[in-house]
Amino acid sequence: MKKRLYIELENCIGCRSCLAACTQCGGHEERNRNYVYDVNPHVNRQTMPLMCLHCENPACARSCPAQAIQIHETGAVLSALVEKCIGCQNCTIACPYGIPKFDEEQNLMYKCDLCIDRTKDGIPPMCASVCPSNTLQWLTEEEIEQKQRRHDLDNDKWVTSMPYLEGATNVKVNLPGILQGTEKLF
Amino acid sequence: MQRDKFFKEIENVEHPNEKLIKTHCSYCGMQCGMNLRVNTATNKIIGVEPRYDWPVTVGKMCPKGVTAYQQTNHNDRILRPLIRDDASLKGTKEGFREASWEEAYDLIAEKFGELQQNYGKDSLSVFSGVSMTNEKCYLTGKFARVALGTRYIDYNGRFCMSSAAGGFLRSFGVDRGSTLPWTDIHETDCLFIAGSNTAECHPTSMFRIWNVQERGGYIIVVDPRETPIARRADLHLDLKPGTDLALANGIVHLLIEKGYADEEFIKQHTNGFEETKELVKQFTPEYTSYLTGVAPEKIERAAEIYGKAPNAVVMFARGIEQQHKGVDNVSGYTNMALVTGKIGRPKAGVATFTGQGNGQGGREHGQKSDLLPGYRKITNPQHVQEVCNVWGITPEEMPKAGVSAYEMFELMDQKEIRGLYLLCSNPAVSAPNLNFVRNAMKSLDFMVCADFYLSESAEFADVILPSVTWSEDEGTVTNIEGRIIKINKAQQPLGESKPDWQMQVELAERLGKGENFSHLKTAKDVAEEFRLASKGGSADYYGATWDKIEKQDGVFWPCKDEGDEGTPHMFLDKKFYHPDGKAQICALPYRPPAEEPCEEYPLRLTTGRVVYHYLSGNQTRRIQFLKDMCPEPYVEVHPETAGKYNMEHDERIRLYTRRGEAVYKVKVTEAIRKDTVFVPYHFGHEESINLLTIPALDPKSRMPEFKACAAQMEKLEPKKVL
C-alpha cells in the first residue's frame, strides 16, 4: 500500500528531532536535509518544519542543467547524483521552498531523498519515525483522504492547504488550524 | 501487551555488518524505546534505529534520544582512573594523572579509613543519582550503609522527584508516579497539566496529548510561560511562579461549590473532605486571582471543564514540585481527582512527569537518606530487620537516617562530613545556591567521583573513577508510568571503565566487607538480590523477573510473585495504601514563595529545561547537534519588561539575586509573564543559574525552591574605550 509523508503543521513543538534523525539515515552521510523554523520567535513558540515536498513536477529537477536530480519510481525526488552535479545551485534557487542544501567543500548539492533506502520498502523515513508530536506522519492514501475530508471545512474560513501549494506534491501538508471545526466532546 | 492505535507493524532497517540491540534511552523518565546500531566488525555502537514495537513510544524519540548513542564512544570519555595529588587545584580541571584501578582503590580505602578512624563512621557521605539502573541504585544504598557504614547517603532526586513522592505518600499512602499507563493518556477527555513544559521535557508524550484535543477533549495548562504546549492548550492559566497551591485550592473550591464533587466516592474512599472544604472556601475566584495573577474567568472555566469531563488526568512536574511547598502543591492538585472521584479507573487519575530516567525506581530502593529497598523506612525496626536479613548484617549495624541532599552540603561546610563518594550526579551545576555548594565541595578532605565524563563536580574530586555509559551495562529501570523495563548492553565498556555496581563491590572488598558483596559478580546477581530485598515492601519488585519484563514489554509494580502480571492501573479496587484503605484529601493552607519580589529585587526568577539538554548538561553539552541547537543559557524577558530596563534582544545583561549573579543574553519574548524571567539550568561554571537560586527547602521533601525567587537585572557597563 503506497504511503506518503504527511505534515500536520499545527502539531510542531520545535524539538528538531527530525533534523537529528535525518542524520541517521543510511544514505545521508550524517548531514541533515530539512529545516525547522521559529515562526515568530519574539511573540510565541510556534515552529514549523520545512521539508522537501517531493513535487510531481519538481522545479529543482527541471532547472538542473546536468540532469543530476532523478525521480525515483516511488515519486521521491532524489539528491543530485554525485557524478553529474556541477554545483551550480540552480536547484536551490528554482525550488519554491529553497530546499536543496549546498556543500561548499565538495561543491555538491544535497537534499532530502525521503530516506529512499527506507521508503522504497514502505518503512517510514527517519523524520516521521521519530517525530514526537506527530507533525510528520507516514500515512496511506486512505488515511490522508480521511484527514482531508475531516479538515476541509468548506466554510470559506479555512480549508486544507493542499490545493494551494505550487503544483502537485507527493508530500501532503495541513496548515495550522486542524482543531478548527473539531467538535468538543462536552 | 497493550497495542493501541498508534502502534504499527514496521520492520526495522538493518544495514550490512550491523546488528540492532533493543534498549531504551539514557535520559528522561519517558525511557523511549530505541535500537542501538552496533557494527559487528568493531563491536562499537555507531547509531540509532527507531524501536517501532515499544508500546509506549512506538519509535518516537526527541533530539536527545536520537543522539544519545553518541555518548558512548565520545572523545571526552574518561578511560582510566584519575588521581590528583595537588589538592590546591580542586575546583579546576587541572592536575589529574592516570592511575591503575589498584592504586585508585588503595588510595580511597586508605583515605576513607583515615577519615572514619579520626572523625567517626559518619564523616563519609555518598551522593548519588537516579539516571542509572535499579540494580545500581539499590547497591549504592547498600554500599553506603554496609561497606562504608555511614548514615549520610542521599541523591539528586531531592532536586527532582522528592516532592511528588511526599505528596503521593500523603494522599494515597503509596508513591507510584502515575496511577495509570501512558497508553491511556490519549483516550482521556481532559488533561490538566500544571508546571510541566511537556513539549520540551517529555516530548514523546506529545503525540498522545495532542490526540486528546483532536478527539474533542481539552488540554488545560498551568504555567507562567506560554510553552509550546500552553500555546495550543484550550486554556492557559498563566500564574505567578510559586502560587500553585492557591490555584489548586481555588479550583477545588469551585469543584465543590459547582456540584462536581463525587459524594459517594468521597464518603467511601477518602478522609479529610470536610476540613478541606472548609479551608478552600476562602479561595474564591477573586481571591485566587489576586494571589496567582490568573484571571477569575479562566479559573472558573478550568474548574468547569475538569469537573464536567467524564474522564480526566491531573498531571504535573517540577514546576509545582520544585517549591518550598512542593509536597503541598502535589497533594493540592491531587485533591482535584479525589474530590471528583476521577481516579482508580482507566483513563482517569493523577501522574507526575518523572524527570530522570529512573527517577521512579531510583527513589524506591534505598538511596534516600531515610529509605531502604522496597520503599521501607529506616526508622521502622520491622523494615530494618527485613533488609538486614537480606544484607547479612544485624539491626545494630544499620546506620540511622541521614539528611537530605542540600543539607549534606551544609554538613560538609560544618566539617561534620569530610569525605564524599559522588556518582551519577553533578551537584556543582544542579544544586541551588551554588556559591555555597561549590565551596562546601572544595572544603572536603577527600572526594571520589565516579563518572564517564569530567563533570563540573568531578573538578572538585581527588580521585575520579571511570564509569560506563548506560549502553555498556544491563539492568532494569522504572519508567514514568511505574513500568519496570530492561536496559540492554550493546557494547563492552570503553577503555578500563566499569559499571558502578562493580566498582562498589570491589571497593567493599578493599574495605573488608567482601562477605556482604563478593557474591555479586554480574548485574543479574545484583538484580536477584535486589528483587529479594524489595519483597514485601510497598514497591514490591519480587515478581518482576527479567524474563517477565521481556515477555510482557515491561512490568508495572507492585508485582509480588511469579504469577503476578503487575499493576498497570493503580487503585482499580478503590483501595488506597493508607492503613484504612482510604485516600487523604488534604486541607492545605496557602504559603507564598519563600522569597517574594521587593523593591530591590522586583522580578520573579524561575528556571527549567530546554528540549536539547538533560539535567546538568554534563552529557548533552558534549553532543555536537545539541550543542549547536542550544550552546548557551539565556534569560527570557517580556518585551515590556525589557523596554523598562532599556534592554534589547541578544544584549548581554547582569542578572542577580541575594545569593549570586551571572551574565546572560536577553531573549525577548511575549511568551512569558511581565513580572517573571526564565533561565534554563543546564550550564556550568559562571553560566549556572543555580548560582542565583534559593535553598529554601520543603519541610517534608527537602526539595529546594528552584522555581521561584526574587531577582533583579541591570545593563552591563559599556566597555571603556581606551
Side-chain angles (χ1 to χ4, degrees), chain B residues 137-287:
Chain B
C137 293
Y138 159 75
L139 197 69
T140 299
K142 179 178 173 185
F143 173 74
R145 283 155 183 144
V146 179
L148 300 180
T150 179
R151 69 195 299 176
Y152 292 124
I153 170 167
D154 210 60
Y155 77 124
N156 63 9
R158 292 281 187 187
F159 305 153
C160 187
M161 298 311 297
S162 63
S163 292
F168 286 150
L169 283 171
R170 182 171 55 187
S171 296
F172 302 140
V174 66
D175 162 32
R176 205 186 82 178
S178 177
T179 67
L180 71 177
W182 237 237
T183 43
D184 270 22
I185 284 179
H186 59 276
E187 296 189 339
T188 194
D189 308 310
C190 168
L191 292 173
F192 182 97
I193 302 178
S196 162
N197 177 7
T198 320
E200 296 202 72
C201 304
H202 300 87
T204 50
S205 292
M206 290 309 295
F207 67 100
R208 296 185 190 281
I209 291 177
W210 284 159
N211 194 242
V212 171
Q213 275 182 323
E214 284 157 33
R215 283 179 37 253
Y218 294 84
I219 299 175
I220 303 169
V221 171
V222 180
D223 202 304
R225 301 160 66 216
E226 194 192 79
T227 57
I229 186 174
R231 188 180 75 81
R232 195 178 125 172
D234 295 273
L235 199 56
H236 173 205
L237 309 180
D238 50 346
L239 83 182
K240 294 176 195 168
T243 62
D244 286 275
L245 186 55
L247 184 65
N249 282 346
I251 292 177
V252 169
H253 166 61
L254 286 169
L255 289 172
I256 298 169
E257 197 188 57
K258 303 284 181 192
Y260 296 115
D262 181 339
E263 281 165 24
E264 190 56 28
F265 179 89
I266 291 168
K267 205 172 123 199
Q268 297 291 330
H269 305 298
T270 69
N271 291 313
F273 177 71
E274 288 305 325
E275 303 92 281
T276 306
K277 182 181 172 185
E278 201 50 41
L279 183 130
V280 298
K281 263 187 189 153
Q282 62 174 304
F283 291 87
T284 59
E286 292 69 31
Y287 181 55

Side-chain angles (χ1 to χ4, degrees), chain B residues 75-143:
Chain B
N75 283 338
D76 288 355
R77 281 290 298 274
I78 304 170
L79 300 176
R80 271 167 284 282
L82 301 174
I83 291 177
R84 176 159 58 192
D85 302 305
D86 182 354
S88 73
L89 293 171
K90 278 193 183 205
T92 74
K93 290 187 175 68
E94 308 305 317
F96 289 105
R97 63 176 169 84
E98 289 194 343
S100 67
W101 278 100
E102 294 302 304
E103 188 187 0
Y105 283 155
D106 283 344
L107 182 63
I108 295 167
E110 179 197 328
K111 293 287 182 182
F112 277 2
E114 269 175 30
L115 286 175
Q116 288 193 314
Q117 194 149 25
N118 294 335
Y119 304 104
K121 284 275 185 199
D122 296 333
S123 60
L124 295 184
S125 61
V126 174
F127 191 107
S128 185
V130 287
S131 295
M132 59 183 185
T133 60
N134 285 312
E135 288 73 15
K136 287 170 180 156
C137 293
Y138 159 75
L139 197 69
T140 299
K142 179 178 173 185
F143 173 74

Side-chain angles (χ1 to χ4, degrees), chain B residues 366-428:
Chain B
Q367 293 196 95
K368 223 171 178 172
S369 61
D370 58 346
L371 287 187
L372 291 171
Y375 233 118
R376 291 184 174 86
K377 294 287 279 184
I378 208 165
T379 46
N380 179 327
Q382 167 76 25
H383 289 183
V384 169
Q385 184 62 57
E386 287 163 4
V387 174
C388 283
N389 293 344
V390 179
W391 285 357
I393 60 171
T394 63
E396 294 71 39
E397 291 173 285
M398 182 71 84
K400 303 293 172 220
V403 298
S404 77
Y406 185 80
E407 292 164 300
M408 288 215 292
F409 295 110
E410 292 177 336
L411 294 183
M412 290 173 202
D413 181 62
Q414 294 159 22
K415 284 282 178 195
E416 190 167 329
I417 291 175
R418 288 170 173 268
L420 168 64
Y421 186 96
L422 173 71
L423 69 155
C424 194
S425 191
N426 188 11

Side-chain angles (χ1 to χ4, degrees), chain B residues 497-537:
Chain B
S497 61
K498 293 182 185 188
D500 284 291
W501 60 263
Q502 190 185 348
M503 289 178 213
Q504 289 170 6
V505 168
E506 290 169 359
L507 257 175
E509 287 169 343
R510 292 293 165 125
L511 296 164
K513 299 287 180 182
E515 59 177 321
N516 307 93
F517 288 85
S518 292
H519 58 288
L520 304 170
K521 300 197 188 319
T522 64
K524 187 78 189 277
D525 292 341
V526 183
E528 294 304 314
E529 183 179 295
F530 151 63
R531 282 201 304 125
L532 199 61
S534 78
K535 187 177 168 62

